[in-house]
Tab-separated table of all heavy atoms in Angstrom:
chain	number	residue	atom	x	y	z
A	1	GLU	N	167.169	-92.391	-84.331
A	1	GLU	CA	167.364	-92.527	-82.839
A	1	GLU	C	166.860	-91.359	-82.053
A	1	GLU	O	166.232	-91.435	-80.889
A	1	GLU	CB	168.869	-92.816	-82.418
A	1	GLU	CG	168.999	-93.187	-80.985
A	1	GLU	CD	170.389	-93.576	-80.556
A	1	GLU	OE1	170.695	-94.714	-80.938
A	1	GLU	OE2	171.054	-92.810	-80.027
A	2	LYS	N	166.879	-90.204	-82.701
A	2	LYS	CA	166.373	-88.944	-82.011
A	2	LYS	C	164.781	-89.072	-81.702
A	2	LYS	O	164.359	-88.459	-80.647
A	2	LYS	CB	166.509	-87.734	-82.800
A	2	LYS	CG	165.818	-87.683	-84.224
A	2	LYS	CD	166.191	-86.370	-84.932
A	2	LYS	CE	165.419	-86.316	-86.274
A	2	LYS	NZ	165.757	-85.116	-87.006
A	3	ILE	N	164.152	-89.859	-82.439
A	3	ILE	CA	162.710	-90.133	-82.130
A	3	ILE	C	162.544	-90.787	-80.748
A	3	ILE	O	161.719	-90.507	-79.949
A	3	ILE	CB	162.005	-90.932	-83.216
A	3	ILE	CG1	161.909	-90.065	-84.474
A	3	ILE	CG2	160.544	-91.322	-82.728
A	3	ILE	CD1	161.293	-90.713	-85.613
A	4	LEU	N	163.521	-91.729	-80.522
A	4	LEU	CA	163.493	-92.501	-79.290
A	4	LEU	C	163.858	-91.641	-78.108
A	4	LEU	O	163.392	-91.950	-76.936
A	4	LEU	CB	164.366	-93.694	-79.357
A	4	LEU	CG	164.020	-94.667	-80.531
A	4	LEU	CD1	165.240	-95.720	-80.579
A	4	LEU	CD2	162.755	-95.390	-80.243
A	5	ARG	N	164.655	-90.719	-78.318
A	5	ARG	CA	165.221	-89.773	-77.262
A	5	ARG	C	164.337	-88.701	-76.863
A	5	ARG	O	164.498	-88.160	-75.691
A	5	ARG	CB	166.547	-89.112	-77.818
A	5	ARG	CG	167.692	-90.101	-77.972
A	5	ARG	CD	168.885	-89.488	-78.571
A	5	ARG	NE	170.040	-90.345	-78.675
A	5	ARG	CZ	171.034	-90.515	-77.764
A	5	ARG	NH1	170.945	-89.831	-76.556
A	5	ARG	NH2	172.009	-91.278	-77.916
A	6	THR	N	163.412	-88.352	-77.680
A	6	THR	CA	162.537	-87.138	-77.276
A	6	THR	C	161.163	-87.647	-76.805
A	6	THR	O	160.673	-88.675	-77.111
A	6	THR	CB	162.267	-86.325	-78.559
A	6	THR	OG1	161.693	-87.059	-79.701
A	6	THR	CG2	163.572	-85.667	-79.024
A	7	SER	N	160.603	-86.839	-75.971
A	7	SER	CA	159.294	-87.223	-75.295
A	7	SER	C	158.144	-87.213	-76.427
A	7	SER	O	158.047	-86.351	-77.184
A	7	SER	CB	158.963	-86.027	-74.302
A	7	SER	OG	157.714	-86.329	-73.597
A	8	ASN	N	157.378	-88.314	-76.246
A	8	ASN	CA	156.220	-88.499	-77.165
A	8	ASN	C	155.207	-89.376	-76.514
A	8	ASN	O	155.536	-90.128	-75.553
A	8	ASN	CB	156.603	-88.939	-78.616
A	8	ASN	CG	157.398	-90.325	-78.485
A	8	ASN	OD1	156.694	-91.329	-78.237
A	8	ASN	ND2	158.723	-90.287	-78.748
A	9	PHE	N	154.058	-89.321	-76.997
A	9	PHE	CA	152.952	-90.091	-76.357
A	9	PHE	C	153.245	-91.559	-76.183
A	9	PHE	O	153.018	-92.191	-75.153
A	9	PHE	CB	151.618	-89.906	-77.104
A	9	PHE	CG	150.523	-90.808	-76.567
A	9	PHE	CD1	149.821	-90.460	-75.298
A	9	PHE	CD2	150.153	-91.923	-77.259
A	9	PHE	CE1	148.828	-91.378	-74.843
A	9	PHE	CE2	149.119	-92.822	-76.829
A	9	PHE	CZ	148.541	-92.529	-75.526
A	10	ILE	N	153.757	-92.157	-77.260
A	10	ILE	CA	154.041	-93.591	-77.269
A	10	ILE	C	155.041	-94.013	-76.285
A	10	ILE	O	154.816	-94.903	-75.507
A	10	ILE	CB	154.439	-94.209	-78.766
A	10	ILE	CG1	153.177	-93.924	-79.617
A	10	ILE	CG2	154.816	-95.606	-78.704
A	10	ILE	CD1	153.501	-94.347	-81.058
A	11	ARG	N	156.119	-93.346	-76.321
A	11	ARG	CA	157.199	-93.580	-75.426
A	11	ARG	C	156.755	-93.437	-73.898
A	11	ARG	O	156.976	-94.212	-73.099
A	11	ARG	CB	158.459	-92.728	-75.652
A	11	ARG	CG	159.664	-93.116	-74.889
A	11	ARG	CD	160.780	-92.083	-74.832
A	11	ARG	NE	160.334	-90.940	-73.888
A	11	ARG	CZ	161.139	-89.916	-73.648
A	11	ARG	NH1	162.286	-89.722	-74.309
A	11	ARG	NH2	160.671	-88.935	-72.847
A	12	ASN	N	156.046	-92.396	-73.636
A	12	ASN	CA	155.698	-92.063	-72.286
A	12	ASN	C	154.611	-93.019	-71.725
A	12	ASN	O	154.569	-93.401	-70.649
A	12	ASN	CB	155.104	-90.705	-72.162
A	12	ASN	CG	156.166	-89.583	-72.470
A	12	ASN	OD1	157.448	-89.914	-72.207
A	12	ASN	ND2	155.846	-88.391	-72.980
A	13	PHE	N	153.689	-93.530	-72.719
A	13	PHE	CA	152.712	-94.425	-72.285
A	13	PHE	C	153.321	-95.778	-71.917
A	13	PHE	O	153.106	-96.474	-71.052
A	13	PHE	CB	151.736	-94.612	-73.496
A	13	PHE	CG	150.762	-95.821	-73.333
A	13	PHE	CD1	149.673	-95.779	-72.340
A	13	PHE	CD2	150.915	-97.026	-73.990
A	13	PHE	CE1	148.850	-96.865	-72.173
A	13	PHE	CE2	150.055	-98.065	-73.891
A	13	PHE	CZ	149.042	-98.038	-72.825
A	14	LEU	N	154.252	-96.253	-72.868
A	14	LEU	CA	154.904	-97.557	-72.715
A	14	LEU	C	155.649	-97.653	-71.414
A	14	LEU	O	155.638	-98.720	-70.675
A	14	LEU	CB	155.724	-97.943	-73.930
A	14	LEU	CG	154.980	-98.205	-75.158
A	14	LEU	CD1	156.054	-98.422	-76.413
A	14	LEU	CD2	154.093	-99.558	-75.058
A	15	LEU	N	156.400	-96.562	-71.115
A	15	LEU	CA	157.239	-96.469	-70.039
A	15	LEU	C	156.449	-96.164	-68.727
A	15	LEU	O	157.018	-96.456	-67.640
A	15	LEU	CB	158.404	-95.538	-70.158
A	15	LEU	CG	159.429	-95.914	-71.241
A	15	LEU	CD1	160.442	-94.713	-71.310
A	15	LEU	CD2	160.098	-97.217	-70.750
A	16	GLY	N	155.332	-95.728	-68.931
A	16	GLY	CA	154.519	-95.347	-67.681
A	16	GLY	C	155.125	-93.992	-67.120
A	16	GLY	O	155.071	-93.814	-65.804
A	17	VAL	N	155.631	-93.070	-67.888
A	17	VAL	CA	156.270	-91.891	-67.475
A	17	VAL	C	155.155	-90.868	-67.022
A	17	VAL	O	154.250	-90.491	-67.791
A	17	VAL	CB	157.050	-91.185	-68.543
A	17	VAL	CG1	157.794	-90.048	-68.009
A	17	VAL	CG2	158.164	-92.232	-69.041
A	18	LYS	N	155.291	-90.415	-65.755
A	18	LYS	CA	154.308	-89.445	-65.438
A	18	LYS	C	154.733	-88.015	-65.949
A	18	LYS	O	155.852	-87.709	-66.272
A	18	LYS	CB	154.485	-89.410	-63.770
A	18	LYS	CG	153.972	-90.674	-63.142
A	18	LYS	CD	154.082	-90.523	-61.666
A	18	LYS	CE	153.586	-91.922	-61.038
A	18	LYS	NZ	153.797	-91.772	-59.574
A	19	LYS	N	153.728	-87.213	-66.106
A	19	LYS	CA	153.859	-85.904	-66.847
A	19	LYS	C	155.025	-85.062	-66.223
A	19	LYS	O	155.790	-84.509	-66.982
A	19	LYS	CB	152.575	-85.183	-66.832
A	19	LYS	CG	152.715	-83.947	-67.775
A	19	LYS	CD	151.299	-83.333	-67.797
A	19	LYS	CE	151.236	-82.106	-68.777
A	19	LYS	NZ	149.903	-81.407	-68.848
A	20	ASN	N	155.111	-85.071	-64.865
A	20	ASN	CA	156.117	-84.215	-64.274
A	20	ASN	C	157.567	-84.765	-64.241
A	20	ASN	O	158.477	-84.276	-63.899
A	20	ASN	CB	155.761	-84.018	-62.847
A	20	ASN	CG	155.630	-85.199	-61.966
A	20	ASN	OD1	155.316	-86.395	-62.501
A	20	ASN	ND2	155.749	-85.061	-60.666
A	21	ASN	N	157.620	-86.070	-64.922
A	21	ASN	CA	158.981	-86.642	-65.052
A	21	ASN	C	159.480	-86.839	-66.414
A	21	ASN	O	160.484	-87.383	-66.788
A	21	ASN	CB	158.920	-88.068	-64.451
A	21	ASN	CG	158.936	-88.017	-62.807
A	21	ASN	OD1	159.787	-87.373	-62.294
A	21	ASN	ND2	158.081	-88.694	-62.222
A	22	GLN	N	158.664	-86.304	-67.374
A	22	GLN	CA	159.075	-86.416	-68.877
A	22	GLN	C	160.359	-85.786	-69.122
A	22	GLN	O	161.163	-86.182	-69.840
A	22	GLN	CB	157.860	-86.029	-69.723
A	22	GLN	CG	156.673	-86.896	-69.674
A	22	GLN	CD	155.528	-86.341	-70.400
A	22	GLN	OE1	155.586	-85.430	-71.201
A	22	GLN	NE2	154.284	-86.977	-70.288
A	23	GLU	N	160.446	-84.550	-68.542
A	23	GLU	CA	161.596	-83.779	-68.848
A	23	GLU	C	162.899	-84.430	-68.255
A	23	GLU	O	163.927	-84.360	-68.878
A	23	GLU	CB	161.467	-82.359	-68.177
A	23	GLU	CG	162.688	-81.319	-68.541
A	23	GLU	CD	162.411	-79.909	-68.030
A	23	GLU	OE1	161.230	-79.627	-67.743
A	23	GLU	OE2	163.465	-79.224	-68.015
A	24	LYS	N	162.715	-84.963	-67.107
A	24	LYS	CA	163.957	-85.700	-66.424
A	24	LYS	C	164.336	-86.918	-67.380
A	24	LYS	O	165.538	-87.085	-67.584
A	24	LYS	CB	163.421	-86.235	-65.067
A	24	LYS	CG	164.595	-86.906	-64.286
A	24	LYS	CD	164.110	-87.553	-63.045
A	24	LYS	CE	163.703	-86.551	-62.031
A	24	LYS	NZ	163.271	-87.070	-60.738
A	25	LEU	N	163.393	-87.591	-67.909
A	25	LEU	CA	163.841	-88.646	-68.770
A	25	LEU	C	164.476	-88.288	-70.010
A	25	LEU	O	165.405	-88.889	-70.492
A	25	LEU	CB	162.459	-89.536	-69.042
A	25	LEU	CG	162.689	-90.874	-69.850
A	25	LEU	CD1	163.652	-91.876	-69.144
A	25	LEU	CD2	161.437	-91.501	-70.262
A	26	ASP	N	163.998	-87.073	-70.591
A	26	ASP	CA	164.693	-86.551	-71.724
A	26	ASP	C	166.060	-86.265	-71.425
A	26	ASP	O	167.010	-86.525	-72.312
A	26	ASP	CB	163.969	-85.249	-72.239
A	26	ASP	CG	162.622	-85.449	-72.785
A	26	ASP	OD1	162.255	-86.650	-73.194
A	26	ASP	OD2	161.754	-84.566	-72.871
A	27	LEU	N	166.440	-85.798	-70.274
A	27	LEU	CA	167.758	-85.458	-69.880
A	27	LEU	C	168.632	-86.674	-69.663
A	27	LEU	O	169.744	-86.758	-70.144
A	27	LEU	CB	167.823	-84.640	-68.636
A	27	LEU	CG	167.202	-83.190	-68.684
A	27	LEU	CD1	167.236	-82.580	-67.260
A	27	LEU	CD2	168.034	-82.368	-69.612
A	28	ILE	N	168.089	-87.760	-69.174
A	28	ILE	CA	168.694	-88.968	-69.083
A	28	ILE	C	169.041	-89.519	-70.430
A	28	ILE	O	170.220	-90.057	-70.725
A	28	ILE	CB	167.857	-90.045	-68.300
A	28	ILE	CG1	167.657	-89.622	-66.815
A	28	ILE	CG2	168.435	-91.473	-68.373
A	28	ILE	CD1	166.722	-90.442	-66.029
A	29	TYR	N	168.139	-89.641	-71.358
A	29	TYR	CA	168.315	-90.068	-72.706
A	29	TYR	C	169.306	-89.235	-73.434
A	29	TYR	O	170.157	-89.718	-74.268
A	29	TYR	CB	166.970	-90.090	-73.455
A	29	TYR	CG	166.215	-91.420	-73.277
A	29	TYR	CD1	166.248	-92.088	-72.158
A	29	TYR	CD2	165.250	-91.856	-74.272
A	29	TYR	CE1	165.568	-93.149	-71.926
A	29	TYR	CE2	164.479	-92.945	-73.994
A	29	TYR	CZ	164.680	-93.596	-72.906
A	29	TYR	OH	163.931	-94.817	-72.665
A	30	LYS	N	169.286	-87.967	-73.168
A	30	LYS	CA	170.284	-87.046	-73.813
A	30	LYS	C	171.716	-87.525	-73.571
A	30	LYS	O	172.650	-87.265	-74.343
A	30	LYS	CB	170.080	-85.571	-73.382
A	30	LYS	CG	170.837	-84.610	-74.041
A	30	LYS	CD	170.516	-83.153	-73.559
A	30	LYS	CE	171.421	-82.185	-74.282
A	30	LYS	NZ	171.185	-80.739	-73.762
A	31	ASP	N	172.023	-88.037	-72.334
A	31	ASP	CA	173.373	-88.373	-71.975
A	31	ASP	C	173.794	-89.750	-72.438
A	31	ASP	O	174.959	-90.255	-72.340
A	31	ASP	CB	173.406	-88.392	-70.421
A	31	ASP	CG	173.327	-87.068	-69.888
A	31	ASP	OD1	173.769	-86.000	-70.633
A	31	ASP	OD2	173.052	-86.902	-68.663
A	32	ILE	N	172.964	-90.515	-73.092
A	32	ILE	CA	173.263	-91.855	-73.668
A	32	ILE	C	173.997	-91.619	-74.962
A	32	ILE	O	173.692	-90.921	-75.863
A	32	ILE	CB	171.987	-92.720	-74.048
A	32	ILE	CG1	171.223	-92.869	-72.707
A	32	ILE	CG2	172.339	-94.016	-74.633
A	32	ILE	CD1	169.774	-93.601	-72.904
A	33	PRO	N	175.282	-92.340	-75.043
A	33	PRO	CA	176.033	-92.201	-76.271
A	33	PRO	C	175.228	-92.459	-77.499
A	33	PRO	O	174.377	-93.285	-77.574
A	33	PRO	CB	177.158	-93.124	-76.137
A	33	PRO	CG	177.205	-93.441	-74.547
A	33	PRO	CD	175.789	-93.314	-74.103
A	34	ASP	N	175.593	-91.740	-78.664
A	34	ASP	CA	174.924	-91.885	-79.901
A	34	ASP	C	175.051	-93.395	-80.311
A	34	ASP	O	176.183	-93.933	-80.333
A	34	ASP	CB	175.549	-91.010	-80.883
A	34	ASP	CG	175.301	-89.550	-80.736
A	34	ASP	OD1	174.365	-89.363	-80.026
A	34	ASP	OD2	176.062	-88.692	-81.314
A	35	GLY	N	173.999	-93.922	-80.838
A	35	GLY	CA	173.925	-95.273	-81.345
A	35	GLY	C	173.621	-96.324	-80.262
A	35	GLY	O	173.104	-97.498	-80.621
A	36	PHE	N	173.831	-96.056	-79.040
A	36	PHE	CA	173.639	-97.053	-77.985
A	36	PHE	C	172.208	-97.405	-77.769
A	36	PHE	O	171.946	-98.600	-77.589
A	36	PHE	CB	174.324	-96.603	-76.698
A	36	PHE	CG	174.353	-97.765	-75.572
A	36	PHE	CD1	175.460	-98.743	-75.579
A	36	PHE	CD2	173.355	-97.885	-74.726
A	36	PHE	CE1	175.379	-99.637	-74.608
A	36	PHE	CE2	173.309	-98.803	-73.677
A	36	PHE	CZ	174.414	-99.740	-73.689
A	37	LEU	N	171.468	-96.464	-77.762
A	37	LEU	CA	170.059	-96.645	-77.454
A	37	LEU	C	169.338	-97.597	-78.543
A	37	LEU	O	168.702	-98.587	-78.198
A	37	LEU	CB	169.200	-95.307	-77.521
A	37	LEU	CG	167.789	-95.352	-77.033
A	37	LEU	CD1	167.484	-96.158	-75.758
A	37	LEU	CD2	167.206	-93.945	-77.027
A	38	SER	N	169.556	-97.266	-79.836
A	38	SER	CA	169.013	-98.057	-80.870
A	38	SER	C	169.654	-99.556	-80.839
A	38	SER	O	169.011	-100.548	-80.966
A	38	SER	CB	169.365	-97.484	-82.166
A	38	SER	OG	168.609	-96.339	-82.319
A	39	TRP	N	171.008	-99.654	-80.687
A	39	TRP	CA	171.603	-100.969	-80.418
A	39	TRP	C	171.070	-101.706	-79.363
A	39	TRP	O	170.656	-102.965	-79.516
A	39	TRP	CB	173.097	-100.775	-80.367
A	39	TRP	CG	173.755	-102.113	-80.019
A	39	TRP	CD1	174.199	-102.947	-80.808
A	39	TRP	CD2	174.099	-102.581	-78.744
A	39	TRP	NE1	174.807	-104.100	-80.239
A	39	TRP	CE2	174.656	-103.925	-78.827
A	39	TRP	CE3	173.884	-102.069	-77.390
A	39	TRP	CZ2	175.082	-104.713	-77.738
A	39	TRP	CZ3	174.264	-102.866	-76.249
A	39	TRP	CH2	174.861	-104.154	-76.520
A	40	ALA	N	170.851	-101.178	-78.251
A	40	ALA	CA	170.383	-101.914	-76.991
A	40	ALA	C	169.055	-102.375	-77.195
A	40	ALA	O	168.666	-103.583	-76.910
A	40	ALA	CB	170.472	-101.044	-75.807
A	41	LEU	N	168.135	-101.605	-77.644
A	41	LEU	CA	166.709	-101.875	-77.832
A	41	LEU	C	166.606	-102.978	-78.969
A	41	LEU	O	165.730	-103.878	-78.763
A	41	LEU	CB	165.842	-100.647	-78.166
A	41	LEU	CG	165.730	-99.674	-77.116
A	41	LEU	CD1	164.891	-98.410	-77.617
A	41	LEU	CD2	165.094	-100.218	-75.872
A	42	ASP	N	167.263	-102.861	-80.031
A	42	ASP	CA	167.212	-103.795	-81.125
A	42	ASP	C	167.641	-105.179	-80.624
A	42	ASP	O	167.103	-106.164	-80.901
A	42	ASP	CB	168.061	-103.394	-82.285
A	42	ASP	CG	168.013	-104.313	-83.473
A	42	ASP	OD1	166.938	-104.560	-83.955
A	42	ASP	OD2	169.112	-104.807	-83.824
A	43	ASN	N	168.739	-105.225	-79.860
A	43	ASN	CA	169.217	-106.495	-79.282
A	43	ASN	C	168.242	-107.050	-78.269
A	43	ASN	O	168.226	-108.356	-78.033
A	43	ASN	CB	170.645	-106.283	-78.829
A	43	ASN	CG	171.651	-106.451	-79.852
A	43	ASN	OD1	172.096	-107.564	-80.126
A	43	ASN	ND2	172.038	-105.392	-80.405
């Protein structure tokens, strides 16, 4: 799950994340409870 939580080219491209907002998205993902991100995306 940590790969999904950290900034990388694939994630930023798919989401359309602008360069100046990548750090903000990292902080949002950091606050997501462990396991929830993988569960939600898989479902």
Side-chain angles (χ1 to χ4, degrees):
E1 189 170 280
K2 65 181 180 180
I3 294 178
L4 301 172
R5 291 175 178 270
T6 55
S7 181
N8 58 74
F9 171 77
I10 295 176
R11 189 195 74 178
N12 295 334
F13 169 75
L14 289 174
L15 291 176
V17 182
K18 298 178 181 179
K19 189 173 183 180
N20 60 338
N21 285 310
Q22 292 176 10
E23 185 175 345
K24 182 188 294 186
L25 187 62
D26 289 342
L27 292 174
I28 294 172
Y29 274 24
K30 184 179 180 181
D31 291 336
I32 298 173
D34 289 344
F36 187 84
L37 183 57
S38 294
W39 171 83
L41 294 177
D42 181 57
N43 275 272

